[in-house]
Structures are given as C-alpha cells and as structure tokens.
Amino acid sequence: FIGIGQVNQVIWDGGATGAQKDIIAANAEVEKANIDVSMHQIRERVDQLFFGILVTDAQLAQLDLATASLQRNLDKLKLSKDNGLALQSDVDEVRAELLSLGQRKIEFTYTRSGYLDMISLMIGETLEKTVVLQLPTTTTTTSMPNQRPELSLFNQQRTLATAQHDMEKTALMPK
C-alpha cells in the first residue's frame, strides 16, 4: 500500500481570529446598549405619565378654586337679583360658567384616570384612582454629566464598525 497524507496548519491567519473576537464582543456591547436605550425610553414614558398626572391634579385644584369663587359670586348675584340690583341674565351667565367648569373637571378627571391606567400597565402595579402623587425633589443638572444611553450606543456602534473594518483588512493579509 502506498499512502499519501497532507496536513495543513495555519501558522498565521492575518489576525482574523482576533478580529472575529473583537466583532463578537462589539456586537454584544451594541445589543446591551440597545437594551439600555429601550429602558431609558420606557423610563421617559413613565416620567411623562407621572408628570401628566401631576399637571392634571394641579389643573383640577385650579378648577376647584375657580368653582368656589364662581359659586360665591353666584350667591352674591342671587341676593342682588332678589333685591333688584342684578338681572336674571347675570345669574344665568355665572351658572353657565359653573357648568362649563364642571365639564372641564370631568374631562380632567377622565384624563387623569387614563394616565393612571397607562402608568399602571407600564409599572406593573395597579394604582387606585385616589392615589396622590408627590412632586419629586429637584436636583441641579449642571454638575451631572450627560449620560444618555444613546451616546453609549453610538460609541459601541463605532467600536463595532472599527472591528468590522479590521476584519476586512485581515482578508488582505497573507495566511
């Protein structure tokens, strides 16, 4: 019997193995940065809903103050009308304004309810319609660096592009 055997062993691959490892690591970092961006967007949406509820609560409080003021004016106008100093049209005009404020209060109540339902779904907890939210404490943003997750994503994408470019350069190297 005559046998022929051939063994091939790559002595140097031109850096392809290292470039592939770099690409895999860069891809993992890009995926992680994408998740961070998605989580940041969810947090922003929860913040928007939270502050929407706070704004709606403030508007409801203002409507209550305006309603109380108009009710006092209506009582005064009724007394004036009874004494012949005011017209029925004046009383009717204040009543119409009170009805308008009542309608706006109903609209804001339903808006608040909708915000509460959305935020309940996003945080995974059921919030009662009577929940009272507190204003967060303020912090100065001048001392905080810009840590947007999108910036990290862009940096990771740049690293991935560099690794892919290095992989393309290894194709030109002798093996």
Side-chain angles (χ1 to χ4, degrees):
F1 288 115
I2 299 178
I4 299 177
Q6 182 177 353
V7 176
N8 289 333
Q9 181 176 0
V10 177
I11 297 173
W12 188 63
D13 67 354
T17 305
Q20 283 179 328
K21 286 181 183 178
D22 290 345
I23 287 176
I24 290 169
N27 267 330
E29 290 299 318
V30 166
E31 290 301 317
K32 182 181 173 210
N34 274 328
I35 291 170
D36 290 343
V37 168
S38 296
M39 289 301 295
H40 182 74
Q41 289 171 342
I42 290 170
R43 277 189 224 106
E44 278 185 341
R45 184 63 182 139
V46 169
D47 285 349
Q48 289 171 352
L49 292 170
F50 176 81
F51 287 111
I53 292 169
L54 289 177
V55 167
T56 304
D57 287 345
Q59 289 170 330
L60 284 168
Q62 285 181 339
L63 284 175
D64 287 341
L65 291 174
T67 300
S69 175
L70 278 176
Q71 187 62 49
R72 284 191 301 273
N73 288 344
L74 179 64
D75 293 342
K76 288 178 186 176
L77 273 174
K78 283 181 181 177
L79 287 175
S80 296
K81 182 190 154 279
D82 291 343
N83 292 326
L85 299 173
L87 299 173
Q88 180 63 37
S89 62
D90 296 332
V91 174
D92 292 340
E93 187 176 329
V94 173
R95 280 188 182 149
E97 188 61 32
L98 274 171
L99 283 174
S100 174
L101 288 179
Q103 290 171 340
R104 289 182 59 202
K105 185 172 181 173
I106 291 170
E107 289 172 12
F108 284 129
T109 302
Y110 280 117
T111 300
R112 184 182 195 279
S113 175
Y115 283 159
L116 278 173
D117 290 343
M118 286 188 284
I119 202 169
S120 292
L121 289 172
M122 293 194 83
I123 65 172
E125 293 181 23
T126 303
L127 297 176
E128 299 296 324
K129 302 297 180 198
T130 58
V131 69
V132 177
L133 302 178
Q134 295 179 354
L135 284 171
T137 58
T138 58
T139 59
T140 58
T141 58
T142 56
S143 64
M144 296 172 46
N146 191 359
Q147 297 179 352
R148 299 269 313 183
E150 291 88 351
L151 297 175
S152 174
L153 174 63
F154 295 145
N155 287 334
Q156 298 304 328
Q157 287 173 336
R158 183 181 310 129
T159 303
L160 175 61
T162 302
Q164 288 171 338
H165 177 70
D166 291 345
M167 182 66 175
E168 290 172 3
K169 286 192 329 188
T170 61
L172 301 174
M173 296 294 212
K175 294 175 179 53

